[in-house]
Amino acid sequence: MSVQKNAHKAKQPSLAQLRAFAAVAEHLHFRDAAAAIGMSQPALSGAVSALEEALGVQLLERTTRKVLLSPAGERLAVRAKAVLDAVGELMEEAEAVQAPFTGVLRLGVIPTVAPYLLPTVLRLVHDRYPDLDLQVHEEQTYSLLEGLAAGRLDLLLLAVPLGVPGVTELPLFDEDFVLVTPDDHPLGGRTGIPRDVLRELDLLLLDEGHCLRDQALDICREAGRTEGAAVTTTAAGLSTLVQLVAGGLGVTLLPRTAVKVETGRNPSLVTGWFADPAPSRRVALAMRTGAARSAEFEELATDLRAALSSLPVRVLRPDPT
């Protein structure tokens, strides 16, 4: 009986084997799976083979061109993912019971927020949370949300509302958009600009995938701009966008936190101000609903609101409900 128990224990799969199999089950490609989990392809293949031996079942059907899950593999892939998720939750819970604001915090930030808010965030973390290992990842919204759901990221700083199940938003502030034009544009430097001017302007926007592009298009639609009004030029970042404006190719919308950084270097750019209520966006922290560190993240949001009060934004207070 003792010998049988020891033999059974020896055949129990390791987490590394389960992680390798789960990656192959997701990607159905050894090279892609190995890259996804940072393992060499031979090591990954060996781990999956060892798991098949430990379980006594064939998990994969290998051909020269592709990898398929066997019927057993399809069933056990679900179980393997559940085990890995449970282990991830265990590690997260263990980290949460340590002293607050210690260990690693992986913060995801969108490109249209990162350059303008990160100095304030980093200063706050340096001064108030010196034991926190803050790791910053700048990505577009869809990638950040995927990272949050997968556990690759802990907390996001981005524009809301997201409307994503399982994600809790901690609003920080609202900020207005301004109109950036060349210095010889009729609207350059004006105040009280009505929104309906956006119907006919040559508007320059960011590339597809940036939430700021979607927000600008929503503002234009609200102003009565037709869907057919073409945007002929786009840019990958706000710095390029304002240089296109300076070159006379059109005008653009900038959030107020970006104005000083993006227009201050070029005297040929002028800012125009919309009539109240000006078009605006809301920026928030976002976390997984029920995250083990939720109390810590809420405290961070409170401290961050206070730190952002010097910026040209309207700081929000949390809903008491």
Side-chain angles (χ1 to χ4, degrees):
M1 182 69 70
S2 176
V3 173
Q4 290 178 341
K5 283 185 177 181
N6 290 336
H8 179 67
K9 288 181 179 179
K11 290 185 177 181
Q12 288 186 349
S14 69
L15 289 176
Q17 293 169 356
L18 292 175
R19 196 171 289 114
F21 170 55
V24 174
E26 178 182 354
H27 295 278
L28 295 178
H29 195 287
F30 276 97
R31 185 181 66 247
D32 293 346
I37 61 174
M39 180 182 284
S40 71
Q41 193 170 331
L44 179 130
S45 179
V48 174
S49 296
L51 179 62
E52 289 179 315
E53 182 177 353
L55 297 177
V57 295
Q58 181 180 348
L59 301 172
L60 305 176
E61 296 178 6
R62 303 167 176 83
T63 69
T64 56
R65 293 187 177 182
K66 58 185 178 180
V67 177
L68 297 174
L69 291 174
S70 69
E74 290 181 354
R75 292 179 59 182
L76 293 178
V78 177
R79 295 286 189 179
K81 184 178 184 306
V83 170
L84 293 172
D85 287 346
V87 171
E89 291 171 3
L90 172 68
M91 298 304 294
E92 185 179 29
E93 191 69 28
E95 187 174 0
V97 298
Q98 299 174 11
F101 299 107
T102 60
V104 175
L105 174 57
R106 299 163 296 180
L107 176 68
V109 191
I110 56 174
T112 58
V113 162
Y116 321 115
L117 297 190
L118 277 181
T120 301
V121 174
L122 296 176
R123 194 179 310 115
L124 172 67
V125 170
H126 178 270
D127 293 345
R128 194 169 180 86
Y129 315 121
D131 296 325
L132 186 64
D133 180 8
L134 182 67
Q135 300 177 0
V136 178
H137 302 260
E138 184 184 50
E139 301 169 23
Q140 293 185 8
T141 299
Y142 71 91
S143 178
L144 294 180
L145 289 171
E146 288 180 352
L148 187 69
R152 178 173 60 85
L153 299 172
D154 304 308
L155 191 65
L156 308 181
L157 179 59
L158 72 180
V160 297
L162 300 168
V164 176
V167 175
T168 296
E169 299 169 9
L170 304 173
L172 298 175
F173 63 84
D174 290 336
E175 66 174 326
D176 292 340
F177 284 99
V178 299
L179 187 68
V180 177
T181 71
D183 56 7
D184 59 354
H185 194 279
L187 296 175
R190 279 186 51 185
T191 58
I193 299 172
R195 291 195 195 198
D196 59 13
V197 301
L198 295 171
R199 295 175 185 173
E200 306 298 336
L201 290 175
D202 294 326
L203 190 64
L204 308 179
L205 298 178
L206 292 174
D207 291 338
E208 295 280 356
H210 289 276
C211 64
L212 188 58
R213 172 190 174 89
D214 298 331
Q215 292 160 354
L217 289 174
D218 287 341
I219 292 167
C220 291
R221 279 190 288 269
E222 291 171 4
R225 189 181 181 102
T226 62
E227 295 286 346
V231 177
T232 57
T233 303
T234 61
L238 292 182
S239 295
T240 301
L241 202 61
V242 296
Q243 295 311 311
L244 295 175
V245 173
L249 295 186
V251 302
T252 195
L253 295 170
L254 280 189
R256 283 197 64 185
T257 50
V259 172
K260 183 177 180 180
V261 172
E262 299 300 348
T263 67
R265 297 188 294 263
N266 196 325
S268 65
L269 292 168
V270 180
T271 300
W273 308 87
F274 288 98
D276 290 335
S280 64
R281 72 170 179 176
R282 176 163 293 184
V283 173
L285 292 175
M287 62 181 178
R288 289 184 295 277
T289 301
R293 302 173 74 179
S294 57
E296 188 177 333
F297 296 158
E298 289 170 3
E299 182 179 342
L300 176 61
T302 298
D303 292 340
L304 191 52
R305 291 184 191 102
L308 293 169
S309 60
S310 61
L311 297 181
V313 300
R314 295 184 296 281
V315 174
L316 300 168
R317 300 305 169 193
D319 188 342
T321 59

